[in-house]
Amino acid sequence: MILSAQVLPSRVVKAVVYDQPRSFTVTEVPDPHPGPGQVRLRVVLAGVCGTDAHLHDGQFDPVYPLTPGHEIVGEVDEVGEGVTQLRVGQRVVLDNMQSCGVCSSCRRARPAFCSELVAQGVNAPGGFAQYIVTPAGKCHPADDLEPEVAVLTEPTACVLHGLDVLGLQPGSDVLVFGAGPTGLLLAQLLRHSGAHRVTVAAPTAAKLELAARHGADETVQLDRADPGAGAARLRKLAPEGFDVVVDATGAVGVLEQCLPLTRDGGTVFVYGMTDESDQLTVSPYEVFRRELVIKGSFSQAYSFDRALQALRTGRVATEGIVTHTFALDDYAGALAALQDRTCVKAVVRP
């Protein structure tokens, strides 16, 4: 599957462009125009997430030249031939993934593993740009949501897909490691999915306070220099272990704590994105003897509509999550914010 746009003689516009890992410029690119069935969006906001940091390092199968940015709120700027469901000036959120619909993975309702997958912001032009062209059918109207709320649609969709994979049993006692954007979204939606208690553990007090305001039942502050102390506090909360332990950090050191904190017959849920080269040592005997389940979740699938409903109804509270906003020319600053403990969620406003 190839995502292409017409490029007509016109103005030039700005975009972040990588030519290789760790090498990008904010530069002028041709102004794209939509072909049949496509629309051009003026990017209003684009969220920055850990995936963008991995792409910066050349991980996650980027295709160069690459314009990243996959959490996109845009305003329809131009419509291509045959597009009738969207109008110029309409605000939308973009489902950045396009699958072929006919390969073996698609036929098994696994579109994220499509053999011809197009993921805008990964292997096709993404949202860290002034304009982006995309199929009209992948745009979801969001005029009723403020951009700072709508920009959380894609990460919320990923969480909802994760909950589909997890299959949480009602009444479960759940521990979430991490109080970044995904940890905060997970904690809220786990509560609405039937968990009787959700505990959030993280090292930053301000983020834990935000988790508590958004409904976490318990919070535990971790000390990176003394991980044993945090583990002891968590064991005190759940002496027999938690039914589900979620890693939303992507840190192997945190993942190593998950199995010991999981009760017999429980589930370890690998949600955070680690480096491709990371390795986790797991005792197969322990998994066998304790009947542990290890699950993972990748991207989103069939969940954008539900994500928008969760945001519209307030099931997902967003206040305080977007904390830093950067201009396109300061994309380097937006990347750096991912390592700033005062930053919960950074966005780029082209």
Side-chain angles (χ1 to χ4, degrees), residues 5-8 10-11 13 29-34 40 77-78 131-133:
Q6 297 180 359
V7 179
L8 305 176
S10 63
R11 61 184 176 178
V13 294
V29 298
D31 186 10
H33 291 269
R40 182 176 69 178
D77 179 72
E78 184 179 341
Y131 294 90
I132 182 174
V133 164

Side-chain angles (χ1 to χ4, degrees), residues 1-5 15-18 29 32 38 43 51-52 55 59-72 94-99 116-129 131-135 138:
M1 182 184 294
I2 298 175
L3 181 68
S4 59
V16 174
V17 180
Y18 281 82
V29 298
Q38 296 179 328
V43 179
T51 299
D52 298 308
L55 286 166
Q59 302 177 30
F60 208 52
D61 303 320
V63 173
Y64 301 104
L66 171 65
T67 294
H70 57 278
E71 302 174 359
I72 301 164
L94 173 62
D95 178 352
N96 73 304
M97 293 178 60
Q98 300 148 46
S99 53
E116 301 295 328
L117 183 69
V118 172
Q120 292 192 254
V122 179
N123 62 6
F128 294 140
Y131 294 90
I132 182 174
V133 164
T134 192
K138 303 301 289 186

Side-chain angles (χ1 to χ4, degrees), residues 188-209:
Q188 294 183 65
L189 287 169
L190 282 161
R191 289 184 71 247
H192 292 302
S193 297
H196 88 82
R197 180 174 69 170
V198 176
T199 299
V200 177
T204 305
K207 293 180 180 179
L208 290 174
E209 290 170 5

Side-chain angles (χ1 to χ4, degrees), residues 230-242:
R233 288 194 291 273
L234 291 167
R235 289 192 190 97
K236 187 174 180 180
L237 276 176
E240 295 183 0
F242 295 87

Side-chain angles (χ1 to χ4, degrees), residues 10-318:
S10 63
R11 61 184 176 178
V12 291
V13 294
K14 282 187 174 182
V16 174
V17 180
Y18 281 82
D19 58 356
Q20 62 182 342
R22 303 183 187 88
S23 175
F24 70 86
T25 56
V26 180
T27 187
E28 293 181 339
V29 298
D31 186 10
H33 291 269
Q38 296 179 328
V39 296
R40 182 176 69 178
L41 303 180
R42 179 183 65 82
V43 179
V44 176
L45 282 183
V48 185
C49 85
T51 299
D52 298 308
H54 288 279
L55 286 166
H56 176 78
D57 290 332
Q59 302 177 30
F60 208 52
D61 303 320
V63 173
Y64 301 104
L66 171 65
T67 294
H70 57 278
E71 302 174 359
I72 301 164
V73 182
E75 182 180 279
V76 178
D77 179 72
E78 184 179 341
V79 298
E81 180 184 350
V83 175
T84 59
Q85 70 270 41
L86 297 173
R87 67 179 189 280
V88 171
Q90 189 169 19
R91 187 187 305 146
V92 300
V93 291
L94 173 62
D95 178 352
N96 73 304
M97 293 178 60
Q98 300 148 46
S99 53
C100 72
V102 297
C103 70
S104 61
S105 291
C106 287
R107 290 198 301 268
R108 291 177 178 232
R110 297 285 188 178
F113 307 115
C114 173
S115 61
E116 301 295 328
L117 183 69
V118 172
Q120 292 192 254
V122 179
N123 62 6
F128 294 140
Q130 291 177 311
Y131 294 90
I132 182 174
V133 164
T134 192
K138 303 301 289 186
C139 296
H140 297 253
D143 285 310
D144 56 325
L145 296 175
E146 291 299 318
E148 289 78 10
V149 175
V151 77
L152 296 171
T153 306
E154 194 274 349
T156 301
C158 290
V159 167
L160 285 166
H161 172 67
L163 294 180
D164 291 342
V165 173
L166 179 60
L168 185 74
Q169 290 187 336
S172 294
D173 191 8
V174 184
L175 167 62
V176 177
F177 277 111
T182 54
L184 294 169
L185 297 174
L186 274 161
Q188 294 183 65
L189 287 169
L190 282 161
R191 289 184 71 247
H192 292 302
S193 297
H196 88 82
R197 180 174 69 170
V198 176
T199 299
V200 177
T204 305
K207 293 180 180 179
L208 290 174
E209 290 170 5
L210 184 58
R213 290 204 304 272
H214 288 340
D217 299 292
E218 301 280 354
T219 60
V220 173
Q221 187 169 3
L222 305 177
D223 183 351
R224 287 186 173 95
D226 186 8
R233 288 194 291 273
L234 291 167
R235 289 192 190 97
K236 187 174 180 180
L237 276 176
E240 295 183 0
F242 295 87
D243 296 301
V244 176
V245 179
V246 182
D247 171 60
T249 71
V252 173
V254 174
L255 280 164
E256 289 172 343
Q257 300 181 55
C258 290
L259 263 70
L261 290 166
T262 305
R263 73 177 302 144
D264 294 346
T267 298
V268 174
F269 193 44
V270 182
Y271 190 88
M273 183 178 175
T274 67
D275 285 346
E276 290 180 7
S277 59
D278 284 340
Q279 298 290 319
L280 176 67
T281 300
V282 175
S283 164
Y285 179 79
E286 183 179 6
V287 174
F288 155 77
R289 178 65 180 83
R290 298 178 57 209
E291 292 192 353
L292 297 176
V293 176
I294 301 174
K295 288 186 173 183
S297 176
F298 169 67
S299 195
Q300 81 268 11
Y302 309 122
S303 49
F304 252 72
D305 286 344
R306 290 180 291 157
L308 281 165
Q309 286 301 99
L311 292 167
R312 285 176 175 132
T313 60
R315 289 293 187 271
V316 169
T318 60

